[in-house]
Amino acid sequence: MFGVSRFKDKVAVVAGAEHPLGASLCRRLAGFGALVVAVGRSEAALRDIARRDPKRIETLAIGAGRRDMLAILKDTWGDEPLNFYADFWPLDVAGRDVAPHEVFAQSAGLAAALLPGMRAGRAMSVMVVSDTAWMADVPLKGVENIVGYEALLMRLASRAQPGRFVGLRLPQGVGTWTGADCVSAGDMVLTLFHPVSRGLKNGSIVDWSPEQA
């Protein structure tokens, strides 16, 4: 992977870190020298991720519906620069007792809490969602005109500037994530973090499939 030195001592937040792709990215970023905050719902799963590199990976467990935690995070993080942000929460719904609208609200809430840091650090941010979820009409209560991940992405892309927010669309049919899948899709995320992708318009959506692994 090219340009890994640019991650050294930078700050990255990975949401939905329990997902195999999120866990893999946490470990790779830490291996590149980044300071990683692994965010998810399961404290046990997050501890397992951090155990691989406890000096570089911190954890933050936020249960579904815990908007108080998001408010606390917003106050404590403030405008501390955030350099990289990846959200895998929309992928980590299958098999969990979490309603789609709760996952949607949590993704939106976490990104909103970190927006000042994204702006301060000119963060390169990626929202990772399955192709079927992109097309679903999931309303975000209390926010006008935000129905679905594409609308949420456009709103975040506008508000995160001078940082950039793009979407990565994955096929719904990926059931078991192999090591090769995680590396391939992870390479795509890392490419979107890299200046080599600077020609990609803010708010754009790119696709990945297992055939690329």
Side-chain angles (χ1 to χ4, degrees), residues 141-170:
K141 295 180 180 179
V143 181
E144 294 182 1
N145 302 322
I146 300 298
V147 180
Y149 284 102
E150 189 167 359
L152 176 60
L153 173 64
M154 297 307 297
R155 188 182 190 92
L156 293 173
S158 173
R159 296 190 171 187
Q161 296 182 62
R164 189 185 70 175
F165 224 114
V166 298
L168 178 59
R169 182 166 46 205
L170 308 184

Side-chain angles (χ1 to χ4, degrees), residues 46-181:
L46 295 176
R47 284 197 301 268
D48 184 61
I49 295 168
R51 193 175 294 121
R52 306 290 184 93
D53 197 341
K55 293 183 178 180
R56 289 279 173 183
I57 303 176
E58 297 183 6
T59 65
L60 176 62
I62 302 178
R66 289 298 306 274
R67 295 190 178 183
D68 56 329
M69 287 292 294
L70 294 176
I72 293 170
L73 176 62
K74 182 177 181 179
D75 290 339
T76 55
W77 193 287
D79 59 358
E80 187 72 20
L82 173 60
N83 307 113
F84 306 103
Y85 178 79
D87 181 11
F88 299 98
W89 255 335
L91 299 179
D92 203 34
V93 182
R96 295 179 179 273
D97 187 22
V98 183
H101 74 272
E102 292 179 344
V103 177
F104 185 58
Q106 203 160 24
S107 285
L110 179 61
L114 295 174
L115 275 174
M118 292 177 187
R119 290 191 285 261
R122 305 177 69 91
M124 304 292 276
S125 303
V126 182
M127 179 183 293
V128 188
V129 184
S130 70
D131 49 8
T132 53
W134 275 119
M135 297 184 293
D137 292 333
V138 186
L140 183 58
K141 295 180 180 179
V143 181
E144 294 182 1
N145 302 322
I146 300 298
V147 180
Y149 284 102
E150 189 167 359
L152 176 60
L153 173 64
M154 297 307 297
R155 188 182 190 92
L156 293 173
S158 173
R159 296 190 171 187
Q161 296 182 62
R164 189 185 70 175
F165 224 114
V166 298
L168 178 59
R169 182 166 46 205
L170 308 184
Q172 177 68 32
V174 181
T176 301
W177 281 84
T178 66
D181 288 340

